[in-house]
Every structure is written in C-alpha cells, then in structure tokens.
Amino acid sequence: MNQKKIFLDESKMPKQWYNIQADMPTKLLPPLHPKTMMPVTPEDLAALFPKEIIKQEMSQERWIDIPEEVREKYLIWRPTPLIRASNLEKFLGVTNIKIYYKYEGTSPAGSHKPNTSIPQVYYSKQEGVKKIVTETGAGQWGTALAIACSMFQIESEVFMVKISYNQKPYRKIMMNVFGGTVHPSPSPLTNTGRTILAEDPNCSGSLGIAISEAIEIAVQSSDTKYALGSVLNHVLMHQTIIGLECEKQFESVGDYPDVIVAPLGGGSNFAGVSFPFLRHQLQSGKKVRCVAVEPSSCPKLTKGEFRYDFADNAGFTPLLPMYTLGHNFMPANTHAGGLRYHGASALCSQLLKDKLIEAVSIDQLECFKAGVIFAKTEGIIPAPEASHAIAQVFREVEQAKKEGKPKTILFNLCGHGLLDLQGYQEYFDGKLQDSNFKEADFHESMKALDSFPKI
Amino acid sequence: MNQKKIFLDESKMPKQWYNIQADMPTKLLPPLHPKTMMPVTPEDLAALFPKEIIKQEMSQERWIDIPEEVREKYLIWRPTPLIRASNLEKFLGVTNIKIYYKYEGTSPAGSHKPNTSIPQVYYSKQEGVKKIVTETGAGQWGTALAIACSMFQIESEVFMVKISYNQKPYRKIMMNVFGGTVHPSPSPLTNTGRTILAEDPNCSGSLGIAISEAIEIAVQSSDTKYALGSVLNHVLMHQTIIGLECEKQFESVGDYPDVIVAPLGGGSNFAGVSFPFLRHQLQSGKKVRCVAVEPSSCPKLTKGEFRYDFADNAGFTPLLPMYTLGHNFMPANTHAGGLRYHGASALCSQLLKDKLIEAVSIDQLECFKAGVIFAKTEGIIPAPEASHAIAQVFREVEQAKKEGKPKTILFNLCGHGLLDLQGYQEYFDGKLQDSNFKEADFHESMKALDSFPKI
C-alpha cells in the first residue's frame, strides 16, 4: 500500500509565514481612505487593529517570523496531514492521476480559520488589548476567534447574523464552550442595531449589519480591537502555513503538484495553500496551476469587475482594489456561507488580473454531489465550501483522462461539514436549486462604485 | 517544547488484535441459552452473525490477524494520534504528572466505533451478506455501521430510538450521507413496532424496542445479518487496536502509563485502550491501574451485581455473566447516551470481579465541567461519554498531588462532542441535574433475574 497520510514532524512545522507581496510582479494598489481617496496610513487603522497586524498588512518582507507562543498554540493540531485520496482515486478509476488533499478540519474550530485568529489575538494581547469584537455569518470565523481568545485569556464578543444564530445553534454553542459572548445581530447593544430594530423588530440580519455592530463596539474603547477572518493581506499571509507544510510533505514523498485547487470566499484558504507553491513559479518559473473555485451564485472572479470597493457591505472599511460584484450585492442563499462574499482579497485579485492564477465557478448541486462521493470514499464529510474544490478536482480528473496525461492534484480540504449537515439533508430531500447568479442585482450594485477611482 | 502529538507510522499499525481471553486467570463463564440454560453453540448464533465473528467471539487464541482489506480501511484515519495534554497540565499546574490521551475522534464517525463496524461488515461481506441491520440510540453506532457498509457496498438499515431520531437530526443525516436507511423506532415495519404503535402511537421508543426491531428484520432473510457495537467479546477485541497503537507510541517516547482511564458503557472503548497494557500485567506482572468510569446514574460496576443477565432490554440475546443493574433498568436521561446501558461486557465484568481493573462512578455535572476545561485547554470538545474519563483524570491528578508522587496518566478520548453540543448548552443554561441513581428501580429490576442461574 502507498502511504496514505503524510504527516510532518512537529519540529519541521514552518517557523515563518510567506508574504507573496515580496515576489509579485505587479505591486498592490494602495487601499484608499473613502473620504479623502488618499492611501490609508497606519494611523487610520490604529483604532481597529493592533500595531503589529497593521505592520504585517503593509509589509513587503518576504518572510515574517511566527512568534514562539503562536507556534505553541498551532501545535495543538498542526502540522495537519496531507492525505493521498487513494480511495477516491480507486472510485474514479484513475491510475496515472494522483490526488492529494491537505486536511485543515482537524483544528479546534474544524476549519483553517484558527491559523489567523491565533496570531491576531496574540498580537492584540501583546499590546494590552482586553477584548476582541468580530462578526460572523454561519459561525466559522466567530468560533475560531473565540477559541483563540480563550487560549490567550482575552474576552471575545461575536455579532452573529440573526438568521444563522437561530438556524445554526451548534456553532453558537461552540463559541460559548470557549467562553465567547455571542449576540444575534441586529442587537439592541449598538446604535446601528437599535436603529434597525426600531424600523424592523424582526430583521434577520446580514453580515454588513454585523460588521457595523462589531466595529461600533470596537472603536468605543482603546483596549478593544476588531479582527477580520479573510480578505486582508495579513490574514492571507497567516494561512500560508498550510502550503508551506504541504511543500515539505510533498518533498518527503518525492512529489510536486501540477495543479492546486481551493475554494475562494475572501481568499484566505486559497492563498494559504497555493501562494507557497506559486512563489517558486514567481521566483524560478517552476510551473503550477492555481485554481480558485467560487459558487455560481457569487462569481466575483469570473463575472465581477476589478475595481476599488469596500471590503464590507456597510462601507466602513478602506477601499480595496478587488474583483467585486459590488459591496451591496446579496448572493442567493446557498449552503456555502463562507463563499457568499461580494469581493476577493486584493492579493488574489491582482494575481488573477496578472493571469498568475485561474478561477472557475461551480453550481452547488455539482458540489454537494462531489462532497457525498468524497465522504463515501475518503470518510470525511466536507464543509460545503470545501466541496467546491472537490467538484473542480473531478473536472480536472476528467480533463486529464481526456488528454491521457498524468497529473498530480492538490486540494485544500479547508474544513469538515459536521456542523453543516442540514445542507446535506436539504440536498438529499431535493430542496436545493442550482445556484443562480442574480445578474440584474449585480449591475445595480456596481453603479454604487461609479464615484470611486478607476483602476 | 516537548513533542505534543505522537504519531505512528502507517507501516507500524498493528497487524493483529489482542484477545485477552488467552491471558485471563479466570476463564469466562459461558453464555447461556435462555430457554435451555445450556451454553450457547455457534449454531444458536448463526442466524444473527457471520461465522467468522462467532468464531472470534468464542476464540481463546491470543492474537487474531486483522485482514488486509480491514487494515486498508483503518488507514483512512488510523493510526490515531497519542497526544500529550501539555496545555491541560499547564492549567492544572502540574510538573511531575504527565497526561496523555489517545484521540479516536479523528475517525469518519468521530468515535472509536468504526474499529469494530469495519471488520464486522467485512466478514459479513465475505460470507455473502447483502444487508446489515442494527439499532442505535443517540446514533454513534448506527453512524459507524453505515460508514462501514458504505465502504464494502453492503446495504445498512438502522432502527434509531425515535426520541433521538427527532432530537438529534445530525447523526441521522450523517447515516444518510453514507447511504444508510434510518427508521425511527418503533416503526410500522416490524411486528414489534406495529404492536407497540397500536397501543401507543406516540411511543418515543427505547434501545430495547430498537434491538427487537433490528433482530426481527435480520432473522427474516438468510443474507441479512445483525451487528452489535459493544459488549460482546469480538467487539472488545477489535477495539484493542487502540491500546496496541498506544503501546508503540509510548515506546517511541520512552514512557509507560501508571494508570489508564476510560469511560465504560458496554466496555468496548475501555477494553480497547486498556487490555493491551493489562496483558503485560497478566503475563509478567508489569503493574498498571485500569480505571473504568461510569455515570452515577447507571452504576452497574460500582452498585450492580455480578449475575447472568440479558445483553438487551428485550431479552432476545443469550444470558451473559455480567455486572448488571437488570436488563429492565432504565437509567436517568443523561447526555452520555453511550453510557446508559444496564450491564458491562462479560470480559470487563470478570476482570473487575477478579480485582484486575477498577471502577468509579461520576456525576454528569462534574464531567461537563471537566469537559469544558479540556476544550479550553486542549482545543477539542469531548463527547459527553469521554468527559467522564477526563473528570476521573482530574481526580487522579488531585490524588497524585496529595501524595506528591509522579504519575503518568493515559486516557481514551473516544470521540468528539460536535454532535452533542446541545448537552453543553443545557449545562451552561443550568438545566442539567446531577445524575441520580434510581435505586428502587434497580432493586425492582433485579427481581427479574431470580430465575436465572446464580454465579
């Protein structure tokens, strides 16, 4: 039997994160202050983030040291296994196509999110922060933040979109287990929430409202900060530990991926697995295809425009250069909550613009079908987000079969779906539709960007 | 930093299970046929189990080969990690007390149960079985069986206690993902179910009823068999892969446990982790304390009697020599569903009788408290069953502190609690009581055993 699970010694866990900004042929356009349209300064961000995070966000250094205390927490579950999908290969009847997946679902949160929540909370703690506030949709990011805050004994407060708060009680309970305070949003705790509730007491909330509430609380006190779970440069950089581990694991079995596949919501999990490999292409031309998979209902990379836009629906953040559907765009309600985001991180957007990465969009029914096959063969029920990568892997296999070429595929299994089983039930019950793209809404939403600088 | 996670190379995964019957100073009393009160023969069991399983159930061989096809499936998640609970040690402020846990929650089912469902299904498949029927309470065993059946492309049918079917939809969905058919029990599909529903259409079911329904379906067809997830000798033996791996993992770090702690429902997870270590005590006197932990609400080992009793509530099985509270005993409704069983396996019972293992009972509030501390320090939310072991580990630590002695503790973290979060919510909400033992019910229940042979 071939080795199925490729572990990495704890002693070989990477000691630095990789910052792709150092190697990009086109440098990032600066984030702009929405009032002045001038590049934002570190001071502009100081009310929200700790200084070290702001420094990392703007850094051009290629390698950033992972603090010893962060590494110690990572060791709770890292290095994560790289797994050869041998049973899936058998099911697909392939012989010269190898499929590997990096499994990030072994983390305390069940996803890759703690890779960044832990350093973000660590730096906050270092700078005397007492509480971190954030928003969460379906709950993955809120859970990861609550866990990190519990590790460093900082208070955590999470505004959770009310409809998810009511429909997905398990993630809320998980946050409670780790000592997190969770409010359904809109809440009566903020001006934003009170205003909305006065108009509509039954408002079921949105990520935009939850962000507004979190930021409103964060800026009220100098020892309270805010944290973001994707999109920003430092978040993507923290996730590169995924790909850096993969690189060593491939080395240990004498292999190297031809293509890397990952779902893309904001971009952190895609960046995490692919950037460390992409660096060899940028540095020495060693070719690798990096394919980002988005849901058909929210196709910013394949149908959006490269424009300056807000990172949040409410318009509180700086303007970022990104592929976007417009910050007011509300995608259809699919089960991959983590991919229902209007824009892509500046880093991923610039790389796509420069044709250094690829993007595809896939319907959710194709993804659930792929997810069920994966569960039955490999034994892990994938998160709906992760199933997007699996569906694309199946397409890559079909393509390679047609071409009769050998191929080594790596994909990021960014989380398990144990708290997303309701989606699988609806899939089995035939209640899910293919995820339609609301094109008219998109065009409407893009109009709001007319006043922002063109790229 | 000390090594936190101790992995074992796939090539070192044990190739045989350990059968403690070969080394027990007192041989097991035979199971008796309830009609004749004579020892049961292999023929008596042939309608329910495949031949190889019946052979293993009665075998006195010390080592039984694990078939290559079973090992291949085990490799999906095995060997499982042995983890040093370094953060918990830090929290408890201990320096000369080492705590290790074997983590079985990485399996496709999230518990140790697939260690036995996979070989049971494999042997059935070998003998031409087309379908396996079983019962499940909260759903762990049903899930493990559905997964194994999916692996070997056999049909699975699970009768799930109706109150769990309605209250715990996630485990039902999990079985569906793996192709299992799940019926709420009592169902209109069997005579047993129809009779009960005619009397009480709203009956919420019991494990006893579900067993009756499963057996009724199994015996109707020669290519359908039944499978049990604990209690029987072969089930306990399949689980010894847990302890055999632990042994090699301890060896690799030059350590050995002084005490091994595991929860005990029927006995399979306790046996799995402890028997391979106990064998050295039986063979060469190398001392190890093995402590089984049961809930105070269901204290068969600490308050029950060593008697012949049925393995099931309905009285369909042979009579087994066991510590029991009587097969009619209905324990208080606690959240550790896997420990709400009236008796202990014959193997564990005989070993306790011979003072080769120890037993304690613990209230559920102490267990939930320990479980939350564990989650916050080690990052894994334990199944309520597993939290019983953790509570006892805390007691062991207190004892060692008092005695000022070094101690190496191993416990079996038999599963994660991600699908049991409702219990944690009720714990936080103050809705849970200490688990009271219904002593009058116990005495009443024991009266039914008066007509069975004394031990």
Side-chain angles (χ1 to χ4, degrees), chain A residues 1 4-5 10 68 72 75-76 78 90 108 170 172-173 177-178 375-376 378-379 418 421 425, chain B residues 1 4-5 10 68 72 75-76 78 90 108 170 172-173 177-178 375-376 378-379 418 421 425:
Chain A
M1 284 181 242
K4 178 149 183 69
K5 299 176 296 304
E10 293 182 355
E68 190 60 23
E72 195 190 322
L75 283 178
I76 288 178
R78 303 210 73 85
K90 211 175 283 177
Y170 276 29
K172 177 190 83 74
I173 302 172
V177 169
F178 290 99
K376 285 188 173 176
E378 292 294 316
L418 291 181
L421 283 165
Q425 183 66 64
Chain B
M1 285 182 241
K4 179 147 183 72
K5 299 177 296 306
E10 293 182 353
E68 190 60 23
E72 196 189 322
L75 283 178
I76 288 178
R78 303 210 71 86
K90 212 175 282 178
Y170 275 31
K172 177 190 83 74
I173 302 172
V177 169
F178 291 98
K376 285 188 175 177
E378 292 295 316
L418 291 181
L421 283 166
Q425 183 68 64

Side-chain angles (χ1 to χ4, degrees), chain A residues 1-10 68 71-79 83 87 90 101 106-110 147 150-151 167-174 176-179 371-372 375-381 416 418-422 424-425 428, chain B residues 1-10 68 71-79 83 87 90 101 106-110 147 150-151 167-174 176-179 371-372 375-381 416 418-422 424-425 428:
Chain A
M1 284 181 242
N2 274 320
Q3 192 181 344
K4 178 149 183 69
K5 299 176 296 304
I6 302 150
F7 288 108
L8 189 69
D9 272 1
E10 293 182 355
E68 190 60 23
R71 295 186 75 240
E72 195 190 322
K73 302 304 181 194
Y74 276 175
L75 283 178
I76 288 178
W77 80 100
R78 303 210 73 85
I83 306 178
N87 298 311
K90 211 175 283 177
Y101 57 99
T106 59
S107 90
I147 288 169
S150 155
M151 286 175 175
Q167 285 179 354
K168 304 199 171 183
Y170 276 29
R171 284 212 191 266
K172 177 190 83 74
I173 302 172
M174 240 181 126
N176 292 153
V177 169
F178 290 99
V372 171
K376 285 188 173 176
T377 50
E378 292 294 316
I380 300 168
I381 300 177
H416 65 66
L418 291 181
L419 301 187
D420 308 289
L421 283 165
Q422 192 56 42
Y424 281 89
Q425 183 66 64
F428 291 131
Chain B
M1 285 182 241
N2 274 320
Q3 193 182 345
K4 179 147 183 72
K5 299 177 296 306
I6 302 149
F7 289 109
L8 189 70
D9 272 3
E10 293 182 353
E68 190 60 23
R71 295 187 75 241
E72 196 189 322
K73 302 303 180 195
Y74 275 175
L75 283 178
I76 288 178
W77 78 101
R78 303 210 71 86
I83 306 178
N87 298 311
K90 212 175 282 178
Y101 57 98
T106 58
S107 89
I147 288 169
S150 157
M151 287 174 175
Q167 285 180 354
K168 305 199 170 182
Y170 275 31
R171 285 212 189 267
K172 177 190 83 74
I173 302 172
M174 239 182 126
N176 292 154
V177 169
F178 291 98
V372 170
K376 285 188 175 177
T377 51
E378 292 295 316
I380 301 168
I381 299 178
H416 65 65
L418 291 181
L419 301 186
D420 308 289
L421 283 166
Q422 193 55 43
Y424 281 89
Q425 183 68 64
F428 291 131

